[in-house]
């Protein structure tokens, strides 16, 4: 089937496991992953160009001015943005593209790409969210408190997402996210070219009879 690429937005509270889930999803199912730009300082082990494009505030502002992002947002104390070119090129080639972004960015994507599928990842409960955020050990308690406050605020936006997926058992969560993406690809509106092609084929066959 000649399918149009689907734009998949994955959001979720800080520490819910988005990065972990997305990494497994890409390894197992080979989707295209958009690498964002950010003004945040790299965490230990993060690689420029792989985890993020790490930018100064000035560089980031220049990219905004040159229309280099399809969306950008301020989250807690830093800027984050999705580079335009990669996403547009991949979709044109019919590939499914994953964006791992926060809720303001997700809402901007929904406005520009109404066919995008929005998935919100949650933890089994609030306490495990706190445990995961602390367990990651990459933020100071002050930053953790800000991220938990932001998570509380983000609960108001969960209803705007198409799907809620719980990240309890990691493998199950990855397979559930994949199930959503696969189903989305089978939507008739994502297969218009296939319908046109089938119609033409059946017309040709009728002419032969
Ligand atoms: P996010 O990208 O959403 O901020 P991370 O992927 O960095 O979150 O995960 C936060 C922490 O939670 C990490 O220490 C990670 O190993 C852990 N984690 C992720 N998924 C699970 C899971 N299903 N069960 C238990 N711990 C998890
Ligand atoms: P972190 O600092 O934990 O890597 O990311 C903080 C938040 O920014 C997460 O919710 C993450 O999904 C989000 N984020 C990462 N990249 C982008 C992006 O390009 N745009 C937007 N709007 N949010 C992003």
């Amino acid at each position: 089937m000649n399918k149009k690429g689907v734009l998949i937005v994955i959001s979720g509270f800080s520490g819910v496991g988005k990065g972990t889930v997305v990494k497994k999803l890409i390894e197992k199912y080979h989707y295209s992953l958009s690498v964002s730009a950010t003004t945040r300082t790299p965490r230990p082990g993060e690689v420029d160009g792989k985890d993020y494009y790490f930018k100064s505030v000035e560089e980031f502002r220049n990219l905004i001015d040159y229309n280099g992002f399809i969306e950008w947002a301020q989250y807690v104390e830093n800027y984050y943005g999705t580079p335009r070119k990669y996403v547009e090129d991949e979709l044109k080639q019919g590939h499914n593209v994953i964006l791992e972004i926060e809720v303001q960015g997700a809402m901007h994507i929904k406005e520009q790409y109404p066919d995008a599928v929005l998935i919100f990842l949650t933890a089994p409960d609030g306490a495990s969210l706190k445990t995961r955020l602390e367990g990651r050990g990459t933020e100071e308690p002050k930053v953790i408190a800000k991220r938990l406050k932001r998570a509380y605020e983000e609960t108001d936006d969960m209803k705007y997402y198409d799907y809620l997926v719980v990240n309890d058992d990691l493998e199950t969560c990855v397979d559930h996210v994949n199930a959503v993406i696969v189903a989305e690809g089978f939507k008739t509106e994502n297969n218009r070219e296939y319908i046109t092609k089938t119609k033409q084929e059946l017309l040709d066959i009728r002419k032969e009879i």
Side-chain angles (χ1 to χ4, degrees):
M1 250 192 253
N2 192 5
K3 285 177 181 160
K4 204 170 91 180
V6 180
L7 188 55
I8 302 123
V9 174
I10 300 184
S11 301
F13 309 126
S14 183
V16 77
K18 296 180 297 297
T20 311
V21 168
V22 166
K23 189 167 173 276
K24 277 247 167 228
L25 185 73
I26 303 292
E27 277 168 13
K28 199 166 173 183
Y29 297 107
H30 311 291
Y31 295 114
S32 303
L33 174 66
S34 162
V35 177
S36 296
T38 184
T39 58
R40 150 163 101 53
T41 44
R43 291 182 185 136
E46 281 185 332
V47 177
D48 186 41
K50 184 169 168 277
D51 298 288
Y52 279 108
Y53 296 105
F54 294 100
K55 303 281 177 199
S56 66
V57 173
E58 197 191 344
E59 286 170 332
F60 196 96
R61 289 214 177 109
N62 270 336
L63 282 163
I64 296 174
D65 291 346
Y66 285 101
N67 199 23
F69 295 125
I70 51 172
E71 65 73 35
W72 65 272
Q74 188 174 5
Y75 175 87
V76 185
E77 276 146 5
N78 293 293
Y79 292 109
Y80 297 83
T82 304
R84 177 179 299 282
K85 189 171 172 1
Y86 177 81
V87 173
E88 290 183 346
D89 288 353
E90 289 295 302
L91 288 178
K92 249 182 238 157
Q93 289 177 53
H95 299 161
N96 296 331
V97 184
I98 312 268
L99 307 184
E100 192 241 282
I101 62 176
E102 53 68 67
V103 293
Q104 307 164 74
M107 296 305 117
H108 288 139
I109 291 294
K110 191 74 188 168
E111 282 163 21
Q112 293 173 72
Y113 298 86
D115 293 343
V117 52
L118 270 57
I119 303 173
F120 197 94
L121 288 188
T122 68
D125 50 56
S128 47
L129 185 66
K130 184 166 176 274
T131 309
R132 284 184 196 176
L133 205 44
E134 288 169 349
R136 187 168 65 190
T138 50
E139 278 90 12
E140 293 171 15
K142 213 174 76 187
V143 177
I144 290 182
K146 281 186 187 167
R147 286 182 172 232
L148 284 171
K149 177 175 176 276
R150 188 79 191 101
Y152 168 75
E153 291 161 2
E154 283 175 352
T155 55
D156 287 335
D157 299 314
M158 289 164 79
K159 58 180 178 290
Y160 301 120
Y161 282 72
D162 300 304
Y163 297 93
L164 273 185
V165 178
V166 180
N167 179 22
D168 191 350
D169 172 66
L170 178 62
E171 290 292 337
T172 307
C173 176
V174 168
D175 289 343
H176 284 170
V177 171
N178 185 59
V180 167
I181 300 169
V182 170
E184 210 61 29
F186 287 132
K187 275 191 169 167
T188 50
E189 67 206 47
N190 288 328
N191 291 282
R192 291 280 152 80
E193 281 180 31
Y194 178 80
I195 296 171
T196 311
K197 182 173 136 293
T198 306
K199 187 173 180 182
Q200 186 59 50
E201 285 167 359
L202 290 173
L203 183 66
D204 294 346
I205 287 171
R206 279 180 57 205
K207 281 184 199 154
E208 285 167 17
I209 298 171

